[in-house]
Amino acid sequence: MSAPVPTGLAPGAMLGILGGGQLARMIALAAADLGIRCHVFAPEADSPAFDVAARHTVADYDDEEALARFADAVDVVTYEFENVPAATAAFLAARTPLHPGARALAVTQDRLSEKSFVDGLGLAVAPFRAVESLSDLEAAVAALGRPSILKTRRFGYDGKGQVKIAPGTDLADAYEAIGRFPAILEGFVPFEREVSVVAARGLDGAFAAFDVCENEHRDHILAVTRVPAELGKAASAAAIDAARRIGEALGYVGVFAVEMFVLAEDGTERIVVNEIAPRVHNSGHWTSEGAETSQFHQHVRAVCGFPLGSAARRGRVEMENLIGEAALHWREILAEPGAHLHLYGKRDARPGRKMGHVTRVFPERG
């Protein structure tokens, strides 16, 4: 049983969203601008997206009765996070269109599958080895050297589920630190900067990429995104081409991000793909005020079968994440000319928690 392709959606349709965090919240807000109502499905009763959705369901992702009712109530389903259980995706895809599709989830949920997929496209990635045991880890470190990064194959984000293997690191301790889960060891990449391409692919195969942005991380969490990135034309074109090839190979529908490293070799910039995020992405938040079409509007357009919007940039843009108590300075931010504040409706400003973001758009340099 295969779900129909939603070629005829129009304003008034119902978009289902799996996950109720800030990304779902911003997708729902964008959908409302286009006359699309949203039904958010999440297990947490205090999900921020519920505040702005037409309907919501509080249920676990393995609750098939709730999922069936959800599927019957919507015209198309998307998601705000990549760790949707495979069984949930398959259950919904058999009943209603699901975008991005199950293949994008399967490839990107597993770091080994993802690295192998990107490598298979002929795109540069960090050297890597699969790790299923301590002896595998020892062999992988012998092959790739130190420093290197040990990462769980699944469920890691914002620095979670990974350990740096430095010259003095005890490998047994490192393997224990990630819970002895199936893992991947990645060789060290001497990068100059971290960049990302946020792009969209429509039901008709149309592709639109926002300008390459440069990302600054603190404590493994994205702190600031600046666009355009300090990157030459050839490297920028290569980064966008890599995103295009990845989207096409996945048969992707919706917005996605490709995180990359920039290496400087003999005066030439080289792009190395790090990770794929099959969803709207933190490094694309700058588009809300900084681009003709925000990533959230673009995602709604793509999954509903609407024409993609212009990804043109409106100026030089900076996006600052508000982490933990930084969001308590909302009054000062609101008083700042040119600052655009976005708060996610989360009650507790815990350390390391993304509470909101600010975008600032500046004139282009002459």
Side-chain angles (χ1 to χ4, degrees):
M1 176 178 172
S2 60
V5 175
T7 55
L9 292 193
M14 183 73 81
L15 170 61
I17 306 174
L18 291 174
Q22 65 262 24
L23 300 180
R25 180 186 178 98
M26 288 182 277
I27 291 170
L29 287 168
D33 287 340
L34 300 176
I36 299 294
R37 297 169 299 145
C38 289
H39 184 158
V40 176
F41 187 110
E44 299 87 7
D46 61 349
S47 294
F50 290 173
D51 294 342
V52 300
R55 296 182 61 183
H56 68 263
T57 295
V58 180
D60 291 332
Y61 295 120
D62 60 359
D63 185 336
E64 292 193 350
E65 289 186 8
L67 288 171
R69 291 192 298 270
F70 174 66
D72 289 343
V74 302
D75 297 295
V76 61
V77 174
T78 190
Y79 41 85
E80 67 142 15
F81 69 113
E82 56 265 58
N83 291 320
V84 174
T88 301
F91 184 89
L92 290 171
R95 289 161 174 78
T96 193
L98 174 71
H99 297 302
R103 181 158 187 256
L105 279 175
V107 169
T108 58
Q109 282 181 347
D110 185 306
R111 287 190 171 97
L112 180 61
S113 297
E114 182 178 86
K115 279 286 190 296
S116 300
F117 165 75
V118 175
D119 185 54
L121 293 178
L123 299 171
V125 295
F128 64 95
R129 296 287 189 280
V131 173
E132 299 282 349
S133 65
L134 179 57
S135 60
D136 282 349
L137 176 58
E138 291 168 345
V141 171
L144 301 183
R146 305 179 188 226
S148 48
I149 305 292
L150 178 65
K151 301 179 179 180
T152 55
R153 285 174 55 174
R154 300 172 67 88
F155 301 121
Y157 67 97
D158 287 346
K160 298 177 176 65
Q162 59 182 263
V163 177
K164 181 178 180 180
I165 306 297
T169 302
D170 181 271
L171 297 185
D173 289 346
Y175 193 43
E176 199 66 42
I178 64 161
R180 304 178 65 85
F181 287 111
I184 180 173
L185 185 76
E186 296 180 7
F188 177 70
V189 176
F191 61 89
E192 294 286 315
R193 57 182 59 89
E194 297 179 68
V195 300
S196 57
V197 174
V198 178
R201 191 169 181 273
L203 274 172
D204 60 356
F207 177 84
F210 297 101
D211 284 356
V212 183
C213 54
E214 188 166 333
N215 302 314
E216 178 185 333
H217 291 79
R218 298 170 193 157
D219 299 323
H220 302 289
I221 301 173
L222 180 62
V224 179
T225 293
R226 299 178 180 89
V227 60
E230 292 188 17
L231 199 61
K233 289 184 179 179
S236 291
I240 290 173
D241 182 64
R244 183 194 302 272
R245 290 167 61 183
I246 287 168
E248 289 177 353
L250 290 173
Y252 197 89
V253 175
V255 165
F256 64 103
V258 184
E259 299 177 59
M260 308 176 188
F261 298 126
V262 180
L263 281 66
E265 298 177 343
D266 299 324
T268 301
E269 295 172 320
R270 188 166 73 91
I271 296 294
V272 174
V273 174
N274 182 27
E275 292 186 352
I276 306 166
R279 53 175 170 79
V280 291
H281 193 255
N282 196 173
S283 70
H285 289 357
W286 67 269
T287 62
S288 292
E289 285 77 32
E292 293 293 331
T293 307
S294 78
Q295 67 165 343
F296 306 104
H297 286 86
Q298 196 78 296
H299 186 71
V300 174
R301 285 171 176 249
V303 302
C304 290
F306 297 173
L308 297 183
S310 168
R313 186 167 44 83
R314 289 175 167 165
R316 293 182 297 113
V317 192
E318 180 176 288
M319 186 283 300
E320 175 190 358
N321 266 335
L322 299 177
I323 309 295
E325 293 188 354
L328 301 180
H329 299 290
W330 58 268
R331 186 175 294 276
E332 294 94 318
I333 295 167
L334 287 175
E336 178 188 336
H340 302 272
L341 176 65
H342 299 262
L343 294 176
Y344 303 151
K346 298 178 180 179
R347 293 181 178 85
D348 301 321
R350 299 193 297 268
R353 193 182 197 195
K354 295 173 183 174
M355 301 296 294
H357 69 270
V358 187
T359 57
R360 298 174 175 89
V361 183
F362 307 100
E364 295 281 14
R365 293 189 176 94

